[in-house]
Each structure stands twice: as structure tokens, then as C-alpha cells.
Amino acid sequence: MNEQIAVFYQTVAKQCSNAYGLRTICELICRNLIQNFSVNHLQLIIKYNSKWQLLLELNTKGIQYHFPPVIIPTTNEYYYKNIHYYANKTEASIDILPNYRYVLIPLKHRSIIIGHLTVAVPLTSKLQPKHLSILASLLTAEIKAGLIKQTTKNHSLSRINAEKELVSSKKQQQSLLNHLQSMHDISFQLWRSDSMKDMLFIAIDEGKKQLKIDRMAIFLFDEQKQMHGTFGTDIHGNTVDEFYFKAAIPNQWYAAKTLKDKEYIAIQEDTPLYHDLQQIGFGWSAYIALWDEDTPIGWIACDNLITGQPLCNYHHQLLKQYGFIVSQHILRLQAADNLIKLNYDLEQRVQSRTKALNKANAQLQKLSRIDALTNIANRRVFDETVTTEWRRANRLTLPLSLLILDIDNFKTYNDKLGHAAGDQCLKTIASVLSKVERRAGTLFARYGGEEFVLLLPGQDQQAAIHNAKRLIDAMHQLALPFPCLVSNKDHQPIVTVSIGVSTIIPSQTTTYCDFFKHVDTALYQAKADGKDCFRVLLPD
């Protein structure tokens, strides 16, 4: 629990350090309480104008922030919402109700209670009032600072406000000039992008940085009036891939404003903000329509979820201009993609017969190297590969291991069940055993009849034995029934294999033929020792 608390406060401290305003801080805290402690309900009431009033509430409808605070009825759906109940609470406590634990914490400033925080968590939660003491101190400080700021603002002289507005106007003018320069820099980067995906990423990632926007996302439309995600921003401000997103163009206020009314931008203040179609806060939301003349091709969505920073006066025109720049680059790259596709289609038509011939030749080559029944490498591939690997092992003084596998009693299986069943048996075994060892360089092939080989270049005797065990285990797990064998009361008979194993480091005094005979001798030894096993024979 202590580690969970530490992570919670580290996250809150990091996020709140860049937060703008009491509302944003409260919403950040709520989201982290939900994420870290599964908080279901939360209330924050403060003493405002000598009355207990509701500042913040988290319930099934989401996060609701009220400033000025609102008076709520004395009778309410939830027990913990009774304002009068707080009046007698001077110390932190926990109330246990049928479905939740309610942690109540008074907010004290210089020993005077200025508010109360109530958090509802599941009955299984171990959250205690002491765990939220730091959070209570943070909220107390922010609430007090917010109230003082509001009082100061209400009593400020018009002259001071005018001076501030003048300074702010000058700053905004300078900021606008800086942003115009940034727009030029971004446009240059977009021109250098040679792919749609790179361009869209730069448009979002650099757009947020240069235009000082918390979150941005680009959605593109298709001919079926579906909108597709490209790159967007998560709730922490990171640029993320959202190409997975697809939905019908919604019938919302911004759709009517931008698409039906042929507007370039729609901005709404103090509106719910969403992520993955879930409401996660309040702030301003802007949608910049992207156009190809009179045809809408997408949107750029923006909001201030993370810092709560308000829009500046110049943002309206700046975002419209940015939308125009991005739409031009989208059209440019779409035209380039169409041209590339046209050239590609022309080239494909010219080369179609050549490719068809090459494909046919490749298929013939493949068929000549694949066993027609089991669809694995055939004897020809094995002979070529073992010759090459023998020479390489001789040249580099490397070990070379070989396993020969033979299906036990296969003639009996064929005679009793028929050749069709025998063929299916070979297919099944080949499919399973070919997947046992898949490392680069290894080769599992059909040698002939009911015999298979596993070539292990560079693998020593221990590795070869390990693979033999895996092959035996694979056959046991496959448990292919062998109905014509005599069964016992404990086990039904299954198809098994016997394996011969040997490892050699080739030299000038050794030959592959002698080595193969050693492996074959080991196979016959396994057969003689009762089958369903492997035997290892070292070269002389």
C-alpha cells in the first residue's frame, strides 16, 4: 500500500506542477484517485460566503466542478452527501456503509476547518485517512490560494486591470509573432515529409509544442462517411498512434458547425472533454475542419485537458491557418500516393507475364524440394544440405548432429488400417515433429517411407539428446491412436517413433557415409531395445 501511495503522490506532484488553476488540479487529482484507488464517489465542500457549499463532486456522471460553489439540498440520494453531517466532523474518520467505505477528511487552515473531503472506495480497499493527509494539505493550500485570488481579483482597481490587459496584449502580440514563425517552421518540416504517416505525426507532435496546445488529434474521412484516427494525444500529453480508431462521423455540435455550415473552425468553452469516448474533464474544445475545396476530408481536434490553459485571442485565426496548412499537405501527399499507385499499376501490367512465369518456375522449384505427401523438405533437400553443412563443420571445426527417426510398426499400421490411414499418419507426424526444433540452420525432412531426419548444424551431443527427448515427448503428447496393437488396462496403444542419435566434428579422416551408418546403427539399437526410445552412438 505504501508503494501505491508513493506512486500516487509522485504522479500528482508531477502533473500538478504544470497545472493551470484550481479546477485542473482538482480534476487531475480525481483522475489519479480513480486510477490508483478505484474511487467511486468523491465530494469536496468548502466554506464559501459563510455557508457550506459544494466545490467538486465525482459520481457516475463524471467529474463536476462548481465555481462559485453551489448549495446542495440537505436531503440527498447518498448518505455521505448530507452537508449537515460534515458540520460536526473535526477529525478524519471512516464510515462503513453496505457498499462502500467513506473516508472523511477535514481540510484545516491554521486550525480552522475550511472544507471537507469525502472519498468513497470499495469495502476491500485499505485506504486510510492518514494516506490522504498530504493530499488534504495540497487541496487546502490550493483552495485557500484560489479564494484569496478570487477576493483579490474582485477588489482590484480598474487601473491595475487595464495595465495587466495592456501587458497581456503585448505578450500576446509577441506570442502571435512567435507562433507565426513556428507555423513557418512546422510547414517546412511538413514539406520535407515524404510519407503521410510521418507528416501526420509531425503535424500533431510539433503542432502541440509550437502552438502551446495541450492535446491535438487528426481524423480523416472516407467516402462512406467514416472517420479514421491517425495520431492523437493521450491524457498525459504524449503523442500516440490512434490508427486503430474508426467510427461514423458523429452528429455533434462541431459537425454541424464545421461541416453543414461550411465553417473552418468551431470552438466551445466550458464543455465536457473526452478520451476514447469517455468524459474525463472540462475545458475548451476546438475542431478545425480540413477541406479539399468544398469537400471535407477530416478534422483537427484540440483541447486544454492537461493544463486548463485558456485560448488566446489569436488562437482562432492561428488554428484556422494551421488547418489550411495541414489540409494542403494531406492533399499533396494523397496526390503523390495516387501517382505512385498509378505508376505501380502500370509497371505491374507490364511485368505481369514475367512475374507469372517466375512464379510458376518458383512453384516448380518448390515442388521439387518439398515432399508431396507430408509437405516438408524431401530427401533431395536433405542430401544437398547435409553436404554443405558437413563441409562447413569441417572447415570451422564445429559439431554436427544427426537424428534418424523411424515410425514403429508402421507396416502393421498400413496393413491393418489401409494406405489412406497410413498417409494421414505420416502427414500428422510430419506436421507436429517439424515444429519441435525451429532454430536457424536446422532441417527436418522426410528421408523415405516412414523415416525422417533432423539435421542439427553447430549443435553438440547434449543438444542432440535434448532434441531427441523433445521428439519422443511430442509423439506422446500427440497420442495418435494405434488401434491394431494390443492394449493394456492402463494405456491405449499409440503410434511411437524410435530415434538414432550421433554427433561428430568432421575432419579429413572422417566421411559422411560412415557417420550416417553410425546414426542408422543407433536407430536399430533403439528398435532392438523395445522401440519408443532413442539411442546415442558415438563415431569411432
Side-chain angles (χ1 to χ4, degrees), residues 410-425 484:
F410 187 69
K411 185 177 184 304
T412 302
Y413 191 96
N414 246 345
D415 292 343
K416 297 294 184 181
L417 300 180
H419 289 287
D423 289 349
Q424 185 58 48
C425 176
C484 48

Short mmCIF file of all heavy atoms in Angstrom, two decimals, residues 410-425 484:
data_model
loop_
_atom_site.label_atom_id
_atom_site.label_comp_id
_atom_site.label_asym_id
_atom_site.label_seq_id
_atom_site.Cartn_x
_atom_site.Cartn_y
_atom_site.Cartn_z
N PHE A 410 5.13 -49.46 -38.45
CA PHE A 410 4.33 -48.74 -39.44
C PHE A 410 3.74 -49.68 -40.50
O PHE A 410 2.64 -49.45 -41.00
CB PHE A 410 5.18 -47.66 -40.12
CG PHE A 410 4.36 -46.77 -41.01
CD1 PHE A 410 3.44 -45.87 -40.47
CD2 PHE A 410 4.48 -46.82 -42.39
CE1 PHE A 410 2.68 -45.06 -41.28
CE2 PHE A 410 3.72 -46.02 -43.21
CZ PHE A 410 2.82 -45.13 -42.65
N LYS A 411 4.47 -50.77 -40.80
CA LYS A 411 3.94 -51.72 -41.78
C LYS A 411 2.63 -52.33 -41.27
O LYS A 411 1.65 -52.48 -42.01
CB LYS A 411 4.96 -52.82 -42.07
CG LYS A 411 4.53 -53.79 -43.16
CD LYS A 411 5.62 -54.81 -43.45
CE LYS A 411 5.22 -55.71 -44.62
NZ LYS A 411 3.93 -56.39 -44.41
N THR A 412 2.62 -52.65 -39.96
CA THR A 412 1.39 -53.19 -39.36
C THR A 412 0.26 -52.17 -39.44
O THR A 412 -0.90 -52.50 -39.75
CB THR A 412 1.64 -53.57 -37.89
OG1 THR A 412 2.70 -54.53 -37.84
CG2 THR A 412 0.39 -54.15 -37.25
N TYR A 413 0.58 -50.91 -39.16
CA TYR A 413 -0.42 -49.82 -39.22
C TYR A 413 -0.99 -49.72 -40.63
O TYR A 413 -2.22 -49.63 -40.82
CB TYR A 413 0.26 -48.51 -38.83
CG TYR A 413 -0.68 -47.35 -38.59
CD1 TYR A 413 -1.09 -47.03 -37.31
CD2 TYR A 413 -1.14 -46.57 -39.64
CE1 TYR A 413 -1.95 -45.97 -37.08
CE2 TYR A 413 -2.00 -45.52 -39.44
CZ TYR A 413 -2.40 -45.21 -38.15
OH TYR A 413 -3.25 -44.16 -37.93
N ASN A 414 -0.12 -49.78 -41.64
CA ASN A 414 -0.56 -49.68 -43.03
C ASN A 414 -1.41 -50.88 -43.43
O ASN A 414 -2.46 -50.74 -44.08
CB ASN A 414 0.66 -49.60 -43.94
CG ASN A 414 0.75 -48.25 -44.64
OD1 ASN A 414 -0.20 -47.49 -44.66
ND2 ASN A 414 1.90 -47.96 -45.22
N ASP A 415 -0.94 -52.07 -43.04
CA ASP A 415 -1.64 -53.29 -43.46
C ASP A 415 -3.02 -53.38 -42.83
O ASP A 415 -4.00 -53.80 -43.48
CB ASP A 415 -0.81 -54.52 -43.08
CG ASP A 415 0.48 -54.61 -43.90
OD1 ASP A 415 0.56 -53.91 -44.94
OD2 ASP A 415 1.39 -55.35 -43.49
N LYS A 416 -3.13 -52.99 -41.55
CA LYS A 416 -4.40 -53.14 -40.84
C LYS A 416 -5.39 -52.02 -41.15
O LYS A 416 -6.60 -52.25 -41.25
CB LYS A 416 -4.14 -53.18 -39.33
CG LYS A 416 -3.28 -54.37 -38.89
CD LYS A 416 -4.00 -55.71 -39.10
CE LYS A 416 -3.18 -56.87 -38.58
NZ LYS A 416 -3.86 -58.17 -38.79
N LEU A 417 -4.89 -50.79 -41.26
CA LEU A 417 -5.79 -49.64 -41.40
C LEU A 417 -5.89 -49.13 -42.83
O LEU A 417 -6.75 -48.29 -43.13
CB LEU A 417 -5.33 -48.50 -40.49
CG LEU A 417 -5.29 -48.83 -39.00
CD1 LEU A 417 -4.82 -47.62 -38.20
CD2 LEU A 417 -6.67 -49.26 -38.51
N GLY A 418 -4.96 -49.57 -43.69
CA GLY A 418 -5.02 -49.13 -45.08
C GLY A 418 -4.05 -48.00 -45.37
O GLY A 418 -3.60 -47.29 -44.46
N HIS A 419 -3.72 -47.85 -46.65
CA HIS A 419 -2.73 -46.85 -47.04
C HIS A 419 -3.22 -45.43 -46.83
O HIS A 419 -2.42 -44.52 -46.57
CB HIS A 419 -2.33 -47.06 -48.50
CG HIS A 419 -1.51 -48.30 -48.71
ND1 HIS A 419 -0.20 -48.41 -48.32
CD2 HIS A 419 -1.85 -49.51 -49.26
CE1 HIS A 419 0.27 -49.61 -48.62
NE2 HIS A 419 -0.71 -50.32 -49.20
N ALA A 420 -4.52 -45.20 -46.94
CA ALA A 420 -5.03 -43.84 -46.71
C ALA A 420 -4.78 -43.42 -45.27
O ALA A 420 -4.34 -42.28 -44.99
CB ALA A 420 -6.54 -43.78 -47.02
N ALA A 421 -5.03 -44.32 -44.32
CA ALA A 421 -4.75 -44.01 -42.91
C ALA A 421 -3.25 -43.85 -42.69
O ALA A 421 -2.80 -43.00 -41.91
CB ALA A 421 -5.31 -45.12 -42.03
N GLY A 422 -2.46 -44.69 -43.39
CA GLY A 422 -1.01 -44.56 -43.25
C GLY A 422 -0.50 -43.22 -43.74
O GLY A 422 0.37 -42.60 -43.12
N ASP A 423 -1.04 -42.78 -44.89
CA ASP A 423 -0.63 -41.47 -45.42
C ASP A 423 -1.00 -40.36 -44.44
O ASP A 423 -0.22 -39.43 -44.20
CB ASP A 423 -1.31 -41.22 -46.77
CG ASP A 423 -0.73 -42.08 -47.87
OD1 ASP A 423 0.32 -42.71 -47.63
OD2 ASP A 423 -1.34 -42.13 -48.96
N GLN A 424 -2.22 -40.43 -43.87
CA GLN A 424 -2.64 -39.40 -42.91
C GLN A 424 -1.76 -39.42 -41.66
O GLN A 424 -1.44 -38.37 -41.09
CB GLN A 424 -4.11 -39.60 -42.53
CG GLN A 424 -4.67 -38.51 -41.64
CD GLN A 424 -4.56 -37.15 -42.28
OE1 GLN A 424 -4.91 -36.96 -43.44
NE2 GLN A 424 -4.04 -36.17 -41.54
N CYS A 425 -1.35 -40.61 -41.25
CA CYS A 425 -0.45 -40.74 -40.10
C CYS A 425 0.87 -40.04 -40.38
O CYS A 425 1.38 -39.29 -39.53
CB CYS A 425 -0.23 -42.23 -39.81
SG CYS A 425 0.96 -42.54 -38.47
N CYS A 484 -4.68 -51.25 -33.92
CA CYS A 484 -4.42 -52.65 -34.22
C CYS A 484 -3.39 -53.27 -33.30
O CYS A 484 -3.07 -54.45 -33.41
CB CYS A 484 -3.99 -52.81 -35.67
SG CYS A 484 -2.74 -51.64 -36.17
#
